[in-house]
Structure formats: C-alpha cells, structure tokens
Amino acid sequence: MTVSILIFLPVIAAFAVLFFKNNAAKYAALAFSVAELALAAVFLTHFVPDATVQFTVDMPWIPKFGIYFNAGIDGISMIMVLLTALLVPLIILTTFKHEYKKAGAFYALILFMQAGLLVVFTALDGFLFYVGWEVALIPIYFICALWGGENRIKVTLKFFIYTFSGSLFMLIGIIYLYLQTPEKTYDIFHFYSLTLNTHQQVWVFWAFFLAFAIKMPLFPLHTWQPDTYTEAPSAGTMMLAGIMLKMGIYGVIRWMIPNAPAGFFQWQSMTIMLAVIGIVYASIIAFKQKDGKRLVAYSSIAHVGLIAAGIFVWTNEGLQGALIQMLNHGINVVGLFFIWDIISRRLNTREISSLGGIAKVAPKFALAFLIIILGTVALPLTNGFVGEFLLLLSVMQWNIWMVAAAGLTMIFGAVYMLRVYKNVMQGETNALTATFTDISGSETLVLSIICILIIVIGVYPQPILHISEAAVKELVHTVNNKFPQVKP
C-alpha cells in the first residue's frame, strides 16, 4: 500500500464526475470524497507514529533529469493528509443546497484540486512538489473565475498573478538545489544533506519564502486574500482557507527551513516580526468589517500569523502547535464560512448590521455558530486552545514582548467574534431575519460534524499530537545539526 493510491483516486474521481450532471455530480463527488476519507483512515490505522517516512512510492518519471515520482507520509504529512481528506467531503456537503451550472465540471475541479494538495503534502521530490503546487492552483482559479461573484475576474487575476509569481521564485530555488547535488537529483533528503554556504542559503531562503509567504498569506503579501475569499463561491473559499493556505505553512516546515537554515536564521527576526504585525493588523481591520465573510477572511490572516510566528521560532512546541492548529483552523474556518453561506443564501445579505435575533427563530443554527466561535477564539476545552497555547509558549521562548503582541490575536478575536455573534444572533428579529429558517438536512450534518470535532479535539488532543511528535523532533534535530549555532 503506497501513497499513490491516495493521490490518484481523486484524479480518477475527477474524470468520472466530469460526465455527471446536476445532482448526480454532487452525489458522485461526495461518494468519491468519502471513499478517499475512508482510505486515509486505513492509512492512519497502519501508520507507525515514529520519524520514518512510510507508504513510499519511488518510480522513475523523467530519470534523465533526476525527476522521480517520489512521495511518502511521515507524522507531519499525515496531519495534512487527514486535514485534506476530512475537509473535502464536508466542503462538498456544504454545496448541497446550491445549484451550479456545469455541476460536473465544478465538482471535478474540487476533486482534481484535492489530488494536487495531496501531492504537495506527500512529495519527497522537489520537482513533484512544484507540479503539485501548480496543479492545486489551476482548479481553484477556474472555480473562482467561473462561479465567483461580480468582481471575480479582476480579483481572480490578481490572485493568480500573486501566487504564480511566487511559484516561479520557488521553482528557481528548487532547480538551484538540484544543480548543487552531486547526483543531480530532486530528492528532498539529498537537498537536506547539501552543505551550502550562508550566502547561497540566503538566496534559497528568499526563493522559497516569497512563494510560501504569498500562499499563507503573510503580511504584507496578503492583499490578494480578502478579496479572493469574498468573491469566490463558498466552496472555493473553504478550499482556499481550509486547506490551500496550509500549503505555504507546510512548505516552510518541510522545504524552506530545512534546506536553508543559515539563510532562515539570518532573517528569523524579520519573519517573526512580519507574522506578529500581521496578527495585530488583521485583527484591527477585522473589527471594522461590515461583511461577515470578509471579517472571517481577516480573522484567518490573524490566526495564520500566529501559526507562522510559532514555526519561525523553530522549537518542538512551535511546530507541534502549528500542525494541530492547521488542522483546527481548517475545521473552524470551514464552519465559519459555512455559517455565512447559510445566512447569505437565506437572507441574500452578509451585512452584519442588517441582522439580529436569529437565535430566536433558529436555535440549532445559533448553537452551532456559538460552538464554532468558541473554538475559533480558543476557549479551553475547544480545539483552538491547545494549538494556540503551544504556539504562544513557543513565541514566549523567543521574546516576551512578541508573545504579548501575538497574544492579541486571542483577545481581539474573542472581542470581534463575540460581538458579531451578539449582533447577528441576539436581540430582536427584524423584518429580514424573522423569516430565517433553522438548519436542516445536509446543513445539520455538516455543522454537527464540525461541532463534534471542535469539542473532541479540544477535550483530548493527544492522539493528534502523538502522530506528529516524533517527526517534528527529528526535523528540528536535523535542522539544528545542520546549523549548530542555533540551539533547539
């Protein structure tokens, strides 16, 4: 059993779903995505949580140029595989109340994007990693451009230019590392074993950093994100926020820091400061948002900033916190965007000031919204708490003032999220919200699963932390041995 099964099932599914129409397409896409989730669960049951890479496939692809289809799963990859396999069927379920023109193409693009994401999260070959990176970009471009809002063309073009430009820098960095290997290979472990001087590593660092910082996105390279999240169809926004931005964070952990530790540590203070500035900036901007979907977009920037800060400190606690928080952020942000999708579909508005009193007419919906918000603001015993605690603990080891600033994401997030809940759910109904109907069918199923995950992971996060613990320790040890001036 190799990871190739996980990668190619969504590809086969995408081509199959392409020939279905309307409701048949959504049901077929859901069936395939659930099969992928079941397959990921089988991989998890056979996974040994040590530092080894498992379920590997290593086949010649273009051997003349040292390119192999080389992929596998360790504890770090497993978290990302689980995130992708879990969220895609949930995202497809959120679309069941929508009708899309050319539904077969819409769902095929989602499944094809899933395949690209899985390539990124499992690739052990630099060229394969780049291919997966671009394969994941193309479907979301068409999803946003064909099924997005009124300003979709302008916004999607900006998104494409930003991300594609960053990808080119990354490709240059990958090719440069390939040229430095005596064996002329793209194998990641051969990259790790290179002994580049500091000047070379600085250039490699910047080549990767620009690509990953745009994708995350990290301040000040974030400007494409709020508009794209707002204009994209809800399923596209969920794919972007729930899974795709994790490509950048994963790339930092797997490809940037281990391949250019000297370059990274030379610019470490800058990266941490940018992450913390992004937390404060996005939180302040979120306060002023009148559109609920746009508020969640800025909230996402703030939370990703904290994840980035924890990684850039480069400690075991920071990486562990980042990995579990990537999973938690994906679950929570999909829930939040689905909440606003339901409101928008029923009331044809996302203006916070136009709402109020929904809890009186939709108690189940109000309860789900509250649980998701509590997870987002990291209330103890919800999924967001353990990740943010580990991240703040990591940043504290770097600088106490930085952790004070980074901690603002929890305070600001609690304030504006609870204020939104009060404005939307409490008070008296008005002429608009009095007609709001409670959740049912697929809506109830999606929100129930999300709420259960928020509570279960919050109460007992240890199994998830255990998956990645050994791989994180090994990676931190590898980097610190490669650059011994920096202590773990």
Side-chain angles (χ1 to χ4, degrees), residues 235-422:
T237 305
M238 294 175 197
M239 290 293 290
L240 280 166
I243 312 173
M244 193 171 185
L245 70 79
K246 312 305 189 299
M247 290 166 55
I249 303 171
Y250 177 84
V252 167
I253 296 172
R254 179 73 76 193
W255 292 90
M256 187 187 84
I257 296 178
N259 283 318
F264 164 69
F265 287 123
Q266 185 167 319
W267 291 93
Q268 184 180 30
S269 298
M270 178 209 69
T271 60
I272 296 173
M273 289 185 66
L274 288 179
V276 173
I277 290 170
I279 294 170
V280 179
Y281 165 81
S283 298
I284 292 172
I285 298 298
F287 267 106
K288 300 181 179 180
Q289 297 307 305
K290 299 178 181 179
D291 182 298
K293 193 176 182 183
R294 200 170 181 86
L295 181 146
V296 176
Y298 277 104
S299 171
S300 178
I301 294 174
H303 283 90
V304 170
L306 180 57
I307 294 173
I311 293 171
F312 292 145
V313 174
W314 199 249
T315 63
N316 292 332
E317 295 85 358
L319 263 65
Q320 282 282 80
L323 287 167
I324 193 171
Q325 198 63 2
M326 280 194 275
L327 176 66
N328 293 333
H329 176 267
I331 294 168
N332 295 343
V333 80
V334 165
L336 287 172
F337 279 123
F338 188 42
I339 289 289
W340 284 104
D341 177 58
I342 293 171
I343 292 173
S344 176
R345 184 160 29 85
R346 280 168 168 64
L347 305 179
N348 200 31
T349 183
R350 296 192 302 261
E351 289 289 325
I352 298 169
S353 60
S354 301
L355 306 173
I358 291 179
K360 292 188 174 182
V361 293
K364 291 191 294 183
F365 179 69
L367 177 60
F369 193 5
L370 179 61
I371 292 173
I372 294 169
I373 281 181
L374 293 179
T376 302
V377 303
L379 185 77
L381 299 182
T382 65
N383 63 344
F385 176 74
V386 64
E388 292 209 359
F389 174 79
L390 289 172
L391 290 166
L392 290 171
L393 180 63
S394 178
V395 177
M396 185 181 294
Q397 295 178 43
W398 173 261
N399 186 293
I400 190 66
W401 297 109
M402 285 292 182
V403 80
L408 290 174
T409 186
M410 300 177 72
I411 300 170
F412 287 166
V415 172
Y416 62 70
M417 281 296 182
L418 293 174
R419 186 179 68 173
V420 166
Y421 183 84
K422 178 182 178 181

Side-chain angles (χ1 to χ4, degrees), residues 393-461:
L393 180 63
S394 178
V395 177
M396 185 181 294
Q397 295 178 43
W398 173 261
N399 186 293
I400 190 66
W401 297 109
M402 285 292 182
V403 80
L408 290 174
T409 186
M410 300 177 72
I411 300 170
F412 287 166
V415 172
Y416 62 70
M417 281 296 182
L418 293 174
R419 186 179 68 173
V420 166
Y421 183 84
K422 178 182 178 181
N423 292 341
V424 172
M425 291 293 160
Q426 297 180 345
E428 297 297 324
T429 57
N430 54 40
L432 182 65
T433 58
T435 61
F436 194 94
T437 56
D438 212 345
I439 53 175
S440 61
S442 59
E443 297 169 339
T444 304
L445 179 58
V446 171
L447 291 177
S448 296
I449 292 171
I450 289 173
C451 290
I452 290 169
L453 289 170
I454 288 171
I455 295 170
V456 170
I457 296 174
V459 172
Y460 190 48

